[in-house]
């Protein structure tokens, strides 16, 4: 089978740290072109990958190059237009999260994907952590019984130091759309359903005026299920803190590291198969995400984290921000 011909739009830190190193090592992928509006960055990065042609205009790139797919790693406010143009050109997409700045733009991308019968996959990399995938398998096996509550939190520095990241019009929001969307996507995926009822959220702007730096809240699912979450760039923590705990009628499980507990009468027994290493999970999650995207295009696996799912996640974010602004619980 021929190699899948791919281009990358946006050569910022995530592309440099993850996408380029992974893509250039895949035997079934050919990196045909890269696009970056910053000419100095384009020259510096482009010189390290000489086979790939360089462009400053993605429209020119997709018109001239013979491509199968495009990976979008640009600032969030540019996602919608680039995605729709690429989909209309008959190209499949991997869009790094979030899919867009808001629910309406996410809908436009999803409509374009369906209209052109193309895949628009969104990079929710937490799903692709090895321990997350194992946890999902354990849930699917019924070992934990019926899942009724997920408690999760993520405290770490903001994902980007670039100015656009702190501009709500360009980023779509603060820590909720940066870290919260990944946590909530993982939680809803673990539940295995999108039947969301409401959210009640409080956000804090202790350091930044335009975007929130911390938020706590609860998302109610139907029936009788809930997710509680806490995300922050600024709350005190000795180290970066990531926690994710699932509670079921027969047991519980947690990530970071992966542990599984079976409930017998009133006692929980640890029956984790082995010690789970948390090293390199960040890099491995992106590697698995990209490999899954390519495998989906080649018909080897069914696609996941599609634009259709992303629309639901963005609608949830809308209710979260409305709840925080109006200071009350908002129906989904």
């Amino acid at each position: 089978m021929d190699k899948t011909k791919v281009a990358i739009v946006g050569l910022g830190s995530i592309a440099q740290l993850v996408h380029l190193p992974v893509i250039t090592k895949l035997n079934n992928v050919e990196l045909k072109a890269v696009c970056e509006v910053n000419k100095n960055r384009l020259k510096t990065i482009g010189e390290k990958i000489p086979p790939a042609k360089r462009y400053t205009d993605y429209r020119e790139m997709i018109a001239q190059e013979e491509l199968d797919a495009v990976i979008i790693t640009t600032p969030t406010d540019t996602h919608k237009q680039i995605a729709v143009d690429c989909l209309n050109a008959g190209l499949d997409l991997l869009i790094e999260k979030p899919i867009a700045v808001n629910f309406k733009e996410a809908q436009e991308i999803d409509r374009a994907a369906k209209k052109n019968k193309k895949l628009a996959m969104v990079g929710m990399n937490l799903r692709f952590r090895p321990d997350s995938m194992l946890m999902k398998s354990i849930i699917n096996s019924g070992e934990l019984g019926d899942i009724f509550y997920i408690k999760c939190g993520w405290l770490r520095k903001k994902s980007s130091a670039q100015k656009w990241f702190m501009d709500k019009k360009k980023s779509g929001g603060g820590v909720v759309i940066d870290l919260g969307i990944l946590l909530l996507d993982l939680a809803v995926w673990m539940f295995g359903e999108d039947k969301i009822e409401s959210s009640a959220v409080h956000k804090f702007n202790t350091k930044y005026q335009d975007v929130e730096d911390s938020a706590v809240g609860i998302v109610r699912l139907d029936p009788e299920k809930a997710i509680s979450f806490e995300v922050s760039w600024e709350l005190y923590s000795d180290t970066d803190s990531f926690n994710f705990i699932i509670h079921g009628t027969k047991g519980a499980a947690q990530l970071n590291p992966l542990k599984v507990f079976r409930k017998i009468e009133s006692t929980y027994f640890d029956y984790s198969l082995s010690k789970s290493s948390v090293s390199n999970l960040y890099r491995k999650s992106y590697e698995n995400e990209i490999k899954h995207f390519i495998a989906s295009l080649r018909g080897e696996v069914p696609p996941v984290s599609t634009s259709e799912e992303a629309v639901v996640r963005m609608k949830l974010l809308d209710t979260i921000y409305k709840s925080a602004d109006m200071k009350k619980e908002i129906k989904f």
Side-chain angles (χ1 to χ4, degrees):
M1 190 175 180
D2 292 340
K3 290 187 176 183
T4 302
K5 299 176 180 65
V6 173
I8 297 177
V9 180
L11 296 179
S13 58
I14 190 69
Q16 295 176 44
L17 290 171
V18 177
H19 296 84
L20 286 170
V22 172
I23 286 289
T24 52
K25 290 180 181 178
L26 294 179
N27 294 327
N28 59 354
V29 175
E30 179 183 0
L31 181 61
K32 293 279 289 182
V34 292
C35 181
E36 168 60 53
V37 294
N38 184 314
K39 293 181 180 180
N40 290 332
R41 183 185 294 166
L42 179 64
K43 182 176 183 297
T44 301
I45 304 303
E47 287 176 348
K48 299 176 183 178
I49 43 172
K53 292 185 179 180
R54 304 175 212 168
Y55 293 86
T56 56
D57 187 336
Y58 75 89
R59 294 181 180 89
E60 181 184 353
M61 182 187 74
I62 61 178
Q64 294 189 13
E65 296 294 328
E66 184 182 336
L67 300 170
D68 298 309
V70 170
I71 297 174
I72 300 174
T73 61
T74 55
T76 309
D77 66 319
T78 67
H79 287 187
K80 191 263 289 184
Q81 194 59 57
I82 297 172
V84 170
D85 287 342
C86 288
L87 290 166
N88 287 339
L91 300 171
D92 293 297
L93 295 180
L94 172 60
I95 310 168
E96 272 310 326
K97 70 84 187 171
I99 185 173
V101 294
N102 55 42
F103 172 57
K104 181 180 178 182
E105 287 194 356
Q107 286 181 305
E108 291 184 56
I109 294 172
D110 185 50
R111 280 196 292 266
K114 290 174 178 174
K115 171 189 166 187
N116 294 287
K117 298 181 180 179
K118 289 295 173 180
L119 169 63
M121 178 175 158
V122 182
M124 296 295 188
N125 67 295
L126 291 188
R127 293 196 199 189
F128 295 94
R129 286 171 50 132
D131 52 353
S132 296
M133 293 190 289
L134 181 54
M135 178 182 274
K136 179 65 170 174
S137 295
I138 291 168
I139 291 171
N140 289 344
S141 73
E143 288 292 322
L144 303 182
D146 296 326
I147 306 304
F148 59 88
Y149 176 48
I150 295 177
K151 180 181 180 181
C152 51
W154 203 353
L155 279 60
R156 51 161 277 189
K157 294 179 181 178
K158 61 183 186 292
S159 299
S160 175
Q162 295 183 52
K163 289 184 179 180
W164 71 265
F165 203 71
M166 309 309 295
D167 183 342
K168 188 174 182 179
K169 291 181 179 179
K170 295 181 180 294
S171 64
V175 71
V176 173
I177 200 169
D178 178 30
L179 305 182
I181 192 170
L182 286 168
L183 275 182
L184 293 169
D185 172 77
L186 184 63
V188 173
W189 181 60
M190 290 293 181
F191 269 119
E193 60 178 85
D194 292 338
K195 296 178 181 176
I196 301 165
E197 284 196 343
S198 65
S199 62
V201 177
H202 192 100
K203 64 183 176 74
F204 304 90
N205 295 65
T206 63
K207 188 173 182 179
Y208 310 103
Q209 289 187 341
D210 201 35
V211 298
E212 77 285 353
D213 55 68
S214 305
V216 294
I218 187 164
V219 175
R220 301 183 190 278
L221 289 84
D222 176 46
E224 303 300 324
K225 300 173 184 177
I227 302 163
S228 68
F229 71 94
E230 175 187 52
V231 288
S232 180
W233 295 328
E234 294 295 328
L235 292 179
Y236 173 76
S237 178
D238 286 337
T239 59
D240 285 355
S241 172
F242 176 89
N243 62 82
F244 193 91
I245 306 171
I246 290 179
H247 297 275
T249 54
K250 294 181 180 179
Q254 70 173 44
L255 293 179
N256 219 41
L258 176 63
K259 290 186 178 181
V260 184
F261 304 91
R262 188 68 186 266
K263 187 176 182 180
I264 300 176
E265 294 183 349
S266 60
T267 305
Y268 284 91
F269 292 89
D270 185 346
Y271 76 123
S272 306
L273 298 177
S274 62
K275 294 293 183 182
S276 174
S277 171
V278 298
S279 63
N280 297 318
L281 285 175
Y282 174 84
R283 172 63 180 267
K284 191 65 179 178
S285 68
Y286 278 105
E287 184 180 322
N288 288 340
E289 171 193 303
I290 293 167
K291 286 181 176 179
H292 186 95
F293 174 63
I294 299 300
S296 297
L297 300 187
R298 299 172 72 85
E300 297 166 4
V301 296
V304 299
S305 191
T306 62
S307 56
E308 185 172 9
E309 291 178 73
V311 167
V312 177
R313 306 301 186 261
M314 293 306 295
K315 184 178 179 182
L316 174 57
L317 280 194
D318 269 12
T319 66
I320 285 172
Y321 280 122
K322 286 178 183 177
S323 172
D325 290 338
M326 298 176 69
K327 296 181 172 25
K328 67 178 184 178
E329 187 170 0
I330 299 295
K331 294 292 184 182
F332 186 70

